[in-house]
Amino acid sequence: MSSILPFTPPIVKRLLGWKKGEQNGQEEKWCEKAVKSLVKKLKKTGQLDELEKAITTQNANTKCITIPRSLDGRLQVSHRKGLPHVIYCRLWRWPDLHSHHELRAMELCEFAFNMKKDEVCVNPYHYQRVETPVLPPVLVPRHTEIPAEFPPLDDYSHSIPENTNFPAGIEPQSNIPETPPPGYLSEDGETSDHQMNHSMDAGSPNLSPNPMSPAHNNL
């Protein structure tokens, strides 16, 4: 208690004498501020004696010790915020308390934090500690790691990709002429129009001049 200032009220010194755990210099000063803040509030409502009775007797059969609930439910002490019942349960009962999930109010408590009333009880002996289930760790894959082995791929050894060279003696059939050669028959058994026209032009007989043409009349 060497860090407590000489002008610290005697009631604060007595209450700090009951705190649990050991804190370093900064943490011990913060605990002193938390107790001073609570003492100041309880003096106005006449509950200070009840707080000292609950702390010194460590008895749950004491009255609710309440302070006004803030808008967000938290209490600010110096530069730090926290839930009020967690702060004082950690101070006077369980220094290793982590969160409100580890606390459950007793049935006799009329202003338990979970009731969300305008007043919240901070009597540390109106709460019980419960065991929280430990969740198994979640393994998150890291995309930056390259696996040592990749899964087997399908067998494509019998297919030839487009950019694969053909074996010796096999040439790709890419130089097929656009027009069929002479005498080429299409799949439906007909020759091409070009070939048919060429044959008609070559084998058609010479036609006699029209007897009614102007040249015939001049004869």
Side-chain angles (χ1 to χ4, degrees), residues 102-116:
E102 300 177 44
L103 294 177
R104 180 176 60 198
M106 301 181 68
E107 293 183 359
L108 57 85
C109 186
E110 300 177 1
F111 295 90
F113 178 82
N114 60 291
M115 293 182 178
K116 298 182 179 181

Side-chain angles (χ1 to χ4, degrees), residues 126-183:
H126 277 195
Y127 294 91
Q128 295 175 324
R129 190 168 185 180
V130 295
E131 295 293 334
T132 56
V134 179
L135 298 177
V138 178
L139 300 179
V140 179
R142 296 177 59 184
H143 297 288
T144 55
E145 295 182 355
I146 301 176
E149 295 183 0
F150 290 94
L153 301 176
D154 294 335
D155 187 9
Y156 296 102
S157 59
H158 298 291
S159 61
I160 302 177
E162 295 180 357
N163 60 348
T164 303
N165 295 327
F166 284 81
I170 300 178
E171 295 295 334
Q173 299 179 359
S174 59
N175 297 324
I176 300 176
E178 296 182 358
T179 57

Side-chain angles (χ1 to χ4, degrees), residues 8-59:
T8 300
I11 180 63
V12 175
K13 291 182 180 180
R14 291 198 301 271
L15 292 173
L16 284 172
W18 290 91
K19 71 180 180 64
K20 304 292 184 179
E22 295 294 332
Q23 294 87 19
N24 55 31
Q26 293 296 327
E27 189 68 18
E28 194 168 355
K29 290 180 181 179
W30 185 86
C31 292
E32 182 179 348
K33 291 179 180 179
V35 173
K36 283 183 177 180
S37 174
L38 181 59
V39 167
K40 185 178 180 180
K41 289 180 175 67
L42 297 181
K43 275 184 177 181
K44 297 178 181 179
T45 59
Q47 301 179 87
L48 191 55
D49 292 340
E50 192 67 24
L51 172 65
E52 188 171 13
K53 177 182 177 181
I55 299 300
T56 56
T57 62
Q58 303 182 11
N59 190 355

